[in-house]
Amino acid sequence: MPNHLAQHGVDSSSPASPVTRRPGNQTLEVARKDVVADGVVKLRLEEPSGGRLPHWTPGAHIDLVMPTADGGSQVRQYSLCGDRWDASAYEVAVLRESNSQGGSQFIHENLAVGDMLSVGTPRNNFGLAQASRYEFIAGGIGITPIMTMIAAAEKLGIDWHLLYGGRSRRSMAFLGELARYGDRVTVWPQDESGHLPLDFLDEPTEGAKVYCCGPEPLLAAVESATTNWPGWAVRFERFVAPSQPPPVRTEPFTIELSHSGRTVTVGTEQTVLEALDAAGVPVLSSCNEGVCGTCEVGVVGGVPDHRDSLLSDAERAKGDRMFVCVSRSITERLVLDL
């Protein structure tokens, strides 16, 4: 079942990773900071000189680079939820997490209108594919990428329905904006109605696709409910990386760099990214969990052991790319496009 993860306003449970200033990062100003639900703020980020920002597509996310308590920096990914046709700003919604690693705490407590943030160019691993109908399912702050998909479906004249759950109405962002869609939106607060009703997913609808974003219990329930659907018709975006089985190959293996023919050994307790870094081969990275897509590298030989939360089953079967912060190798030798 296809998976992808971006944070949608929640902190990952991993410690902050070292920050590399990536090509495309720019410094944007916090133009607005609005409370849109209990524990949720929406930021509007603008280019200080009024310039145009890079284009993005529904489901995309951006990196925000923020300070840490020890004086360092951390990167967090947040889904874009504003108007994609507004080239003057990016908008993200951020949930205040009780177990925050510093990102949401900083945004809620310290970030103010007028402050400047380093922001990455939009990336999209949760893109909206063509369909005759969309079944959107969102839980809590997972509504953020779904908002942009709804706007796209409306412009395209494609039939859709949203099932939107949350702890309570007070905690659910964008209810006012969604109200104009009438009965195409089903709002399902858990404290009033219990768990989301998913029986409508028992049998696939011809030409339809399911897009689901939310906490892991919701995604697991939707995955179970859509066992009769073809894998390509159901897309998930997760808040946290799911647990992975043990790697196929636990012993060391060799990485060959196709551009130079140079070889690098990846140790038993070492990631490909760590081995490349130790060998002086720079690869841009951010999350170190296989969830953000920054460290994608092409594969031209060998069979990778995919351990990310980004690629679909079909994309994994191609074996032509991997995310080197977590994925390893099935074969003794792996040739990378580096």
Side-chain angles (χ1 to χ4, degrees), residues 61-286:
H61 66 275
I62 55 175
D63 293 341
L64 299 187
V65 182
M66 294 168 288
T68 57
D70 61 2
S73 297
Q74 61 185 329
V75 177
R76 293 290 183 260
Q77 291 80 38
Y78 299 103
S79 289
L80 290 162
C81 60
D83 180 1
R84 61 178 290 225
W85 302 110
D86 179 4
S88 65
Y90 294 146
E91 293 184 356
V92 297
V94 181
L95 173 68
R96 171 63 187 267
E97 283 286 297
S98 58
N99 61 343
S100 171
Q101 296 294 313
S104 72
Q105 179 181 353
F106 171 79
I107 288 172
H108 278 255
E109 296 183 1
N110 303 110
L111 190 66
V113 172
D115 287 349
M116 310 298 288
L117 282 177
S118 180
V119 179
T121 301
R123 299 195 305 275
N124 197 344
N125 295 294
F126 190 48
L128 188 65
Q130 184 175 358
S132 60
R133 176 178 169 82
Y134 297 111
E135 297 288 355
F136 298 124
I137 304 170
I141 198 65
I143 189 62
T144 50
I146 301 299
M147 292 293 291
T148 65
M149 294 180 175
I150 288 172
E154 281 287 286
K155 283 186 177 293
L156 294 170
I158 298 174
D159 190 26
W160 61 272
H161 178 263
L162 167 66
L163 177 60
Y164 178 22
R167 296 187 308 276
S168 67
R169 290 182 187 271
R170 294 189 305 275
S171 70
M172 299 170 71
F174 307 121
L175 290 182
E177 292 92 324
L178 292 168
R180 69 178 183 269
Y181 297 121
D183 61 6
R184 282 184 291 174
V185 175
T186 300
V187 177
W188 202 272
Q190 187 172 357
D191 63 348
E192 298 175 19
S193 307
H195 295 299
L196 292 177
L198 300 175
D199 55 322
F200 71 98
L201 295 172
D202 288 347
E203 295 299 328
T205 302
E206 185 176 356
K209 287 185 170 67
V210 177
Y211 281 80
C212 180
C213 181
E216 190 60 32
L218 170 62
L219 272 62
V222 172
E223 189 168 10
S224 177
T226 54
T227 53
N228 291 327
W229 290 66
W232 51 262
V234 184
R235 293 296 308 274
F236 296 103
E237 193 164 43
R238 286 180 150 86
F239 291 165
V240 295
S243 59
Q244 295 282 351
V248 174
R249 172 180 290 276
T250 56
E251 61 269 26
F253 57 93
T254 300
I255 294 293
E256 179 181 335
L257 311 182
S258 65
H259 296 188
S260 64
R262 183 182 175 188
T263 59
V264 176
T265 299
V266 181
T268 302
E269 302 296 330
Q270 196 177 33
T271 68
V272 175
L273 180 64
E274 289 169 343
L276 291 172
D277 182 64
V281 182
V283 176
L284 299 177
S285 65
S286 175

Side-chain angles (χ1 to χ4, degrees), residues 9-44:
V10 294
D11 289 341
S12 70
S13 58
S14 64
S17 55
V19 174
T20 300
R21 184 170 176 83
R22 292 179 292 281
N25 273 24
Q26 55 194 314
T27 301
L28 302 185
E29 181 179 2
V30 180
R32 289 183 62 96
K33 179 181 178 182
D34 301 306
V35 177
V36 293
D38 281 358
V40 181
V41 296
K42 184 172 73 171
L43 304 179
R44 180 177 174 87

